[in-house]
Amino acid sequence: MLNQTVKTLAGFVVSAGLFSGAAFAGGHGAQAEVLHWWTSGGEAAALKVLKDDFAKNGGEWKDMPVAGGGGDAAMQTLKARVVAGDPPTAAQIKGPSIQAWDDEGVVGPPYHVDEVAKAENWDSLLSSQVANHMKCDGFTKYCAAPVNIHRIDWFWANKKVLDANGISMPTSWDEFNAAARKLQSAGIIPLAHGSQPWQDATVFEAVALGIGGNDFYKKVFVDADMSAMNSPTMIKVFDQMRTLKGFTDEGSPGRDWNVATGMVMEGKAAFQIMGDWAKGEFTNAGMKPGIDFYCLPTPSDHGYLYNVDSFIFYSMDGQSKIKGQKLLGSLMMGKNFQKVFNLYKGSIPARLDVPMDEFDMCAKGSASDLNYSAMTGGLQPSFAHGMTLSLATKGAIQDVVTEHFNSNMSSKEAAKRMADAVQDTL
Ligand code: BGC
């Protein structure tokens, strides 16, 4: 499990700061075309920190945004570029897809960013679990750099709306259902949701973690265990999804996630279930946790669904681009960058040695929950955000989840279809 069990964010002493990008700064002539899907207000504000740092160090940034939450559209564009033999200098990508690209022979050798990682001793700055997600060549060389850790399983809520209706943040799914019914009869949309496949999957994995528990989550989303998929527990998970569907409004299908967050900010809706990039939207609008909005993990047995944003560096010709990759890698892992970027992004630093004192209560809670769940078996990779399973298996599960959510399919049928669809991808 995660090395963070011992290397706590608070207590872990490292030689960080000695390097902090110094070795690879001064990137005159460095160029980078950067593919990403950070186009919402909060996301763009966070990305600007990196763009500015790159420019300050003499780099020339070419922006390649591909809009679409969760990155499904960005991954299609990326695939087309790589297959055409023209990969971007750096691309936002996560989880096992990094190693899958390496298996195609398009990432290295040589793995240029590994030089930076060795010189800056990234192994000592990251938990081994996060570090491994960044490594190619049989997990021996860095080919990607992490910028954060997002948590997926969150409730976000409008404080005024909850207070006015005498509702406190729910600590069980039954409590949530009761609160939602109360809000609904008061004429408030209980759950702001954008029914796009990745958003349905985001809600689904939080429900699966909560209702099924940590072991069930692992069996389904890490081990792709058929009997856990087609099981009475999975039927209960789908039942709760059906219940949640009843708490959404008619405008939900196709709505972007940040529009849904906006509904909570304005008080049109009470809750959203979404990763903590949603917090980036609240804070970008000047709203504060505990004062304007509430954050609380969705109910589970100390589970924590993690999602590490990272950038892959493909094999590249041309000194200016290689310089660009090295500079980007070094900047992304900079101690101050990881603080400032994550203050905007809503996530917490991937580096273990970044002080949390300037972070808000949601981020502080996330950091301490992460450590606790890493010790107790609750720390699990997000399937909806590509931290586990192959893209094909992920897609098969996501398709069934979204079809169930947007039809009258029974829970029993959905569980069976999921197992069948996954079987075809293994
Ligand atoms: C990414 C986040 C991003 C979110 C919405 C997630 O998959 O990890 O960085 O903000 O999608 O686009």
Side-chain angles (χ1 to χ4, degrees), residues 37-38 40 43 68-71 92 94 148 150 152 198 257 274 277 307-309 345 384-385:
W37 67 90
W38 286 335
S40 79
E43 291 173 332
Q92 187 188 350
K94 291 182 287 196
N148 65 6
H150 270 304
I152 306 298
W198 76 272
W257 69 271
M274 188 47 63
W277 47 90
N307 167 31
V308 180
D309 278 314
K345 190 70 177 65
H385 294 273

Side-chain angles (χ1 to χ4, degrees), residues 79-141:
K79 190 172 173 189
R81 288 282 304 266
V82 181
V83 169
D86 178 31
T89 327
Q92 187 188 350
I93 186 172
K94 291 182 287 196
S97 296
I98 294 173
Q99 288 79 33
W101 275 123
D102 188 40
D103 292 343
E104 298 294 320
V106 291
V107 185
Y111 300 91
H112 293 294
V113 165
D114 191 55
E115 266 177 53
V116 183
K118 292 260 153 54
E120 297 180 357
N121 205 3
W122 291 6
D123 274 347
S124 72
L125 303 175
L126 299 169
S127 70
S128 58
Q129 194 164 353
V130 170
N132 276 339
H133 280 301
M134 305 300 132
K135 289 183 182 176
C136 287
D137 202 19
F139 300 102
T140 61
K141 297 200 173 65

